[in-house]
Amino acid sequence: MLIKRPADIPASEITPRDLFDDRRRFLQQAGASLIAGAALWHGVPDNARAAATRLSPLASSPFSTTESQTAYKSVTTYNNFYEFGTDKEDPARNAGKMAVRPWTVRVEGLAGKLRTFDIDDLLKLAPLEERIYRLRCVEAWSMVVPWVGFPLSALLKQVDPLGSAKYVEFVTHYDASIMTRRQILNWPYTEGLRLDEAMHPLTILAVGLYGEVLPNQNGAPVRLVVPWKYGFKSAKSIVAIRLHEKQPATAWNQSAPQEYGFYSNVNPEVDHPRWSQASERRIGELRKRPTLMFNGYAEQVASLYQGMDLRKHY
């Protein structure tokens, strides 16, 4: 499966975001603002976002990088979301068709307390944090994104995973009436983690970015973010979370197992069969930069893979 190489995107200045609006107002108005937000994704000027609902209060996170953040416009218009098209601009043009209210996330499989979470339930599970993370795409480009979310472990602890649960599968929304019917991948898109990866404090469920409600093209209303893995591991628009004893099949690994392993940790020493992973192009910058092992999160996550052959378990 050929992933197209990105086109250059010019850098732009980042306007600071007011993160102190009332949270109750968010809970009451998120549905309306998400619908209204679709107009933005079809070309309304940036200043129209001033009326968008903000997420607050937000706790700062010690896990955040201090690197310069990628421009909001690039983060929200340069996306891989193949259900809405294979060009980078397609998701911003097409994802506004997806209704994100009402929305539920089912927890299934090997858990003692199986349940379904409404999106408002998820927003109350844990304090919302701003997590400024590097995002590294398998295509050798990268961004720095200020996500809003909470640790995935907060949800998993609510359902009491059984001792036999070793893996977590994520199932994404698929609606053939508004999404592509081309069999680019097996729909619905699925991804997976080992349970210890899912429980790691760096792994979050994101509900926003830049202090605002998550745009549809970025995986609204709730998505996974695993910053030490290539971006395709961070499933968007999640509708089900399943706990398994055995490693689940995942969309890209099924499509091209020789290119996209189950783990897909960012590793400059393991090239993609068709290009090097030793360097990357940060969106908004002209020169390439060296790729960091585990995307720069080695100190926090390297112990998860102690003794593993990372060329075999790529």
Side-chain angles (χ1 to χ4, degrees):
M1 175 70 193
L2 177 62
I3 299 181
K4 297 180 180 179
R5 292 185 180 276
D8 287 336
I9 289 183
S12 61
E13 295 296 326
I14 304 169
T15 302
R17 305 236 161 233
D18 176 9
L19 303 180
F20 303 100
D21 293 349
D22 182 70
R23 185 175 182 176
R24 180 176 299 174
R25 179 168 169 261
F26 160 68
L27 293 175
Q28 293 172 340
Q29 296 183 358
S33 46
L34 282 166
I35 295 170
L40 166 63
W41 308 326
H42 289 280
V44 175
D46 285 355
N47 59 13
R49 291 201 306 272
T53 302
R54 306 289 167 80
L55 299 172
S56 66
L58 300 181
S60 59
S61 172
F63 296 116
S64 291
T65 179
T66 58
E67 294 180 30
S68 297
Q69 298 167 27
T70 303
Y72 180 97
K73 183 176 181 181
S74 295
V75 172
T76 56
T77 60
Y78 193 80
N79 310 107
N80 284 329
F81 199 161
Y82 280 12
E83 291 89 327
F84 292 109
T86 56
D87 289 338
K88 294 293 185 288
E89 299 82 9
D90 286 344
R93 285 194 293 257
N94 301 324
K97 303 171 186 176
M98 180 174 62
V100 295
R101 290 285 177 130
W103 194 277
T104 58
V105 177
R106 308 181 309 276
V107 179
E108 303 171 343
L110 301 176
K113 298 178 181 178
L114 299 178
R115 60 179 291 190
T116 297
F117 293 89
D118 181 80
I119 185 62
D120 288 332
D121 296 332
L122 291 177
L123 290 164
K124 299 171 186 176
L125 273 183
L128 294 180
E129 302 178 27
E130 181 173 68
R131 296 281 189 103
I132 305 170
Y133 281 165
R134 303 175 195 91
L135 168 67
R136 173 59 154 81
C137 182
V138 73
E139 299 166 335
W141 56 266
S142 64
M143 294 180 173
V144 176
V145 183
W147 303 103
V148 176
F150 59 88
L152 172 61
S153 61
L155 181 149
L156 293 175
K157 289 174 182 178
Q158 291 284 318
V159 301
D160 289 348
L162 300 181
S164 55
K166 306 300 181 186
Y167 294 89
V168 185
E169 179 186 18
F170 304 90
V171 183
T172 68
H173 178 65
Y174 180 70
D175 181 351
S177 68
I178 60 170
M179 294 174 168
T180 183
R181 297 186 183 184
R182 293 173 54 202
Q183 206 61 37
I184 302 168
L185 296 166
N186 289 333
W187 310 125
Y189 188 98
T190 58
E191 257 306 334
L193 299 172
R194 262 184 1 208
L195 182 59
D196 59 345
E197 295 176 318
M199 295 293 288
H200 193 279
L202 282 178
T203 304
I204 65 170
L205 289 176
V207 296
L209 52 76
Y210 274 100
E212 299 178 354
V213 173
L214 196 64
N216 282 21
Q217 62 267 36
N218 292 95
V222 58
R223 64 167 291 164
L224 184 68
V225 178
V226 191
W228 71 92
K229 294 180 178 288
Y230 292 117
F232 69 86
K233 293 292 293 183
S234 295
K236 302 178 179 72
S237 303
I238 296 170
V239 294
I241 296 174
R242 297 171 178 162
L243 290 111
H244 297 281
E245 182 176 6
K246 297 182 179 180
Q247 180 177 303
T250 60
W252 278 106
N253 184 243
Q254 286 181 301
S255 175
Q258 73 282 7
E259 298 185 10
Y260 307 104
F262 176 81
Y263 284 94
S264 291
N265 293 317
V266 177
N267 189 342
E269 298 176 1
V270 178
D271 290 337
H272 186 281
R274 287 176 285 137
W275 55 80
S276 170
Q277 296 289 19
S279 63
E280 65 197 62
R281 183 176 61 86
R282 179 68 53 83
I283 299 300
E285 297 179 355
L286 296 178
R287 295 183 179 179
K288 289 187 175 182
R289 58 171 64 207
T291 291
L292 303 175
M293 185 65 192
F294 295 117
N295 205 19
Y297 298 95
E299 183 177 350
Q300 293 98 327
V301 304
S303 62
L304 294 174
Y305 310 102
Q306 189 171 2
M308 291 179 62
D309 182 345
L310 297 182
R311 291 185 176 275
K312 179 180 178 180
H313 300 284
Y314 59 94

